[in-house]
Amino acid sequence: HYASITFTNEGAYQVVAKAQNTCGWGSYAMKMVMVFGGYRMSISPNPATEEAVISIESADGRSLNPNNEWGLEVYTQRQLLKEKKQKLKDKL
């Protein structure tokens, strides 16, 4: 599956998601997101079992600064931190 969120304006947003699989519906997950500079992020496949591709693009079509660094946190279904990476650039 695939999930894509586009924020057209900078600011604070609350992202709420609920997933379904063969066992039924999960509970809602909520996350506050601060948007600066108009970036678009997509994650596929969603849900992922082992590997997912995360793409970050400029919302206005401009090239991203190759010197930008990103942070990534991956949580389990029980909201326990599974992995944290900092200072990511381009491809992992």
Side-chain angles (χ1 to χ4, degrees):
H1 300 333
Y2 179 80
S4 178
I5 300 173
T6 301
F7 299 99
T8 56
N9 298 305
E10 292 184 356
Y13 295 88
Q14 182 178 27
V15 178
V16 181
K18 187 174 185 180
Q20 179 186 25
N21 63 19
T22 56
C23 296
W25 286 93
S27 58
Y28 284 101
M30 291 180 266
K31 179 73 175 178
M32 288 300 298
V33 177
M34 293 296 297
V35 176
F36 300 100
Y39 294 110
R40 179 176 29 227
M41 180 179 76
S42 62
I43 304 170
S44 64
N46 186 14
T49 55
E50 294 293 326
E51 186 173 305
V53 175
I54 299 172
S55 299
I56 300 173
E57 304 167 346
S58 172
D60 60 9
R62 293 180 300 171
S63 296
L64 296 178
N65 181 342
N67 296 319
N68 282 354
E69 294 180 341
W70 305 90
L72 174 69
E73 295 178 358
V74 178
Y75 291 85
T76 67
Q77 291 177 339
R78 296 178 191 253
Q79 299 300 308
L80 299 173
L81 183 63
K82 183 176 182 179
E83 188 160 350
K84 182 175 184 175
K85 301 223 180 226
Q86 296 180 2
K87 297 186 179 182
L88 298 174
K89 288 186 177 186
D90 195 27
K91 296 184 179 187
L92 300 177

